[in-house]
Every structure is written in structure tokens, then in C-alpha cells.
Amino acid sequence: MGDIVVKTPMFRALSDMDRNIKIDVMVASGCESMLRNHPNINKIMEMKPRNRVKIFRIFYGWMRALKLRQEKYDLYFDFTKNIRFAHLLTLRLMKIRYLVGCERDEKFGLKKTELTIFDKYINNTDNDIHAVDINMNMLQALGLNTENRKYELYLGDLEDKYLSLIHI
């Protein structure tokens, strides 16, 4: 859930760029309520719990990618740091127009500079960097203003209830 909250400045910055932008977010099962009332989110896609058998997880990921391909996404942010063939193929199957990703750790002799699937990389190799900084660095790669890093939480109908508790 913390990963969702630290992405809210990123959602706001994208929306501030152009109010016609539609932001779709894929979240782990059980976390969709964190974004349900967020004004900048167009669609929330819930990832079902992972299958224990790796080949089934990979297969379902590819099937989901082919389904998402029909949405014709213009921009996709990928926060994964590892080089995994199945994941990279999933991204390729989605046919995203512009893909921004984190620099990958080198693995199996494959150097991160050899991956041409990404249009833009951000450097997140600094272990002391906070998650919100990684998110906002994704936007800096696109030349967007990333100064406002305040978190936002939208509670919908429950907001008045919780605000009244704070003022007690």
C-alpha cells in the first residue's frame, strides 16, 4: 500500500500536464481501495493473487498483456529492476508506444545497456533513494515538473468521517 501512496505525486503531475490524460493503474489484489476515489485515476486493474506454479504465472502474465494490448497505451512506467525474459516479453506483447523503465541489474551476461525495449531509462541504483524520488525521476525523464512531492489520499464518502476524528 505504501508503494501506491508514494506514486500519488506522480499521478498528480501527469494529470496537471493535461487534464485529458487517462491514467490506468495495475495494483495488487486488496490495494485497489487506495485509489478508488482518486480523481486522477481512470481505471484500476487488480492483479489477482499469484499462482504458485511459475509457468502458469508467466502464461497468465502474457495473456493479460495481450488483453491490455487492445487498450493501446501510449506511455508505461516499469519499476522493475531485474532482467527477466518473461517480464520483458510481457512488455513487448503490450505494444506500448513509449516505455520508461528503471536501469536493470546485469544478469546472465546481459548488460543493461543492451536492452533496447525501453525508450528512456532512469537511474535508481542509489540504495538511499526514496520511492517517491524514483517515481518523480520517471517524470523528469519526460521533462515534467516534479517539485510537488506531497502525498494524496482520497477517501471519498469516508473523508468527512475521518476529518471529524482528527479535530477531536
Side-chain angles (χ1 to χ4, degrees):
M1 290 193 173
D3 287 346
I4 293 171
V5 173
V6 298
K7 284 184 179 35
T8 59
M10 181 179 175
F11 300 148
R12 181 187 48 255
L14 282 169
S15 292
D16 288 349
M17 184 178 80
D18 184 342
R19 288 290 172 194
N20 295 318
I21 289 177
K22 294 181 181 174
I23 301 172
D24 294 351
V25 181
M26 187 173 294
V27 298
S29 182
C31 295
E32 67 282 350
S33 62
M34 297 287 294
L35 295 173
R36 188 174 296 132
N37 297 302
H38 200 293
N40 300 334
I41 302 299
N42 175 56
K43 181 165 61 170
I44 303 168
M45 297 170 280
E46 182 182 356
M47 290 181 358
K48 302 296 182 207
R50 299 176 80 177
N51 193 307
R52 293 179 189 250
V53 181
K54 186 176 183 175
I55 191 70
F56 289 130
R57 280 195 319 260
I58 293 170
F59 177 74
Y60 290 128
W62 290 341
M63 296 307 294
R64 183 176 54 240
L66 289 171
K67 186 177 177 183
L68 290 173
R69 180 183 199 156
Q70 297 170 10
E71 301 287 333
K72 297 183 179 166
Y73 286 103
D74 292 319
L75 176 62
Y76 186 94
F77 296 101
D78 183 55
F79 296 95
T80 308
K81 290 174 71 171
N82 296 318
I83 295 176
R84 291 196 174 99
F85 172 75
H87 178 72
L88 296 174
L89 181 57
T90 300
L91 294 174
R92 178 62 79 192
L93 288 172
M94 287 175 62
K95 275 201 161 183
I96 302 155
R97 286 182 55 195
Y98 196 82
L99 184 59
V100 179
C102 297
E103 287 187 357
R104 295 340 201 216
D105 298 328
E106 294 183 10
K107 190 173 181 180
F108 306 123
L110 184 63
K111 299 186 183 331
K112 56 190 168 196
T113 56
E114 295 172 345
L115 290 175
T116 58
I117 186 172
F118 295 96
D119 297 294
K120 195 82 163 177
Y121 282 102
I122 61 134
N123 182 349
N124 67 335
T125 55
D126 182 3
N127 291 333
D128 293 333
I129 192 169
H130 191 270
V132 73
D133 296 320
I134 293 171
N135 301 332
M136 298 311 270
N137 287 348
M138 290 277 194
L139 297 179
Q140 281 180 336
L142 301 173
L144 297 178
N145 181 355
T146 61
E147 291 176 17
N148 187 349
R149 294 171 183 238
K150 292 181 182 175
Y151 303 140
E152 298 174 333
L153 202 54
Y154 296 93
L155 303 174
D157 296 338
L158 297 173
E159 198 155 328
D160 291 336
K161 175 185 173 184
Y162 289 112
L163 281 175
S164 66
L165 292 174
I166 292 172
H167 297 295
I168 293 179

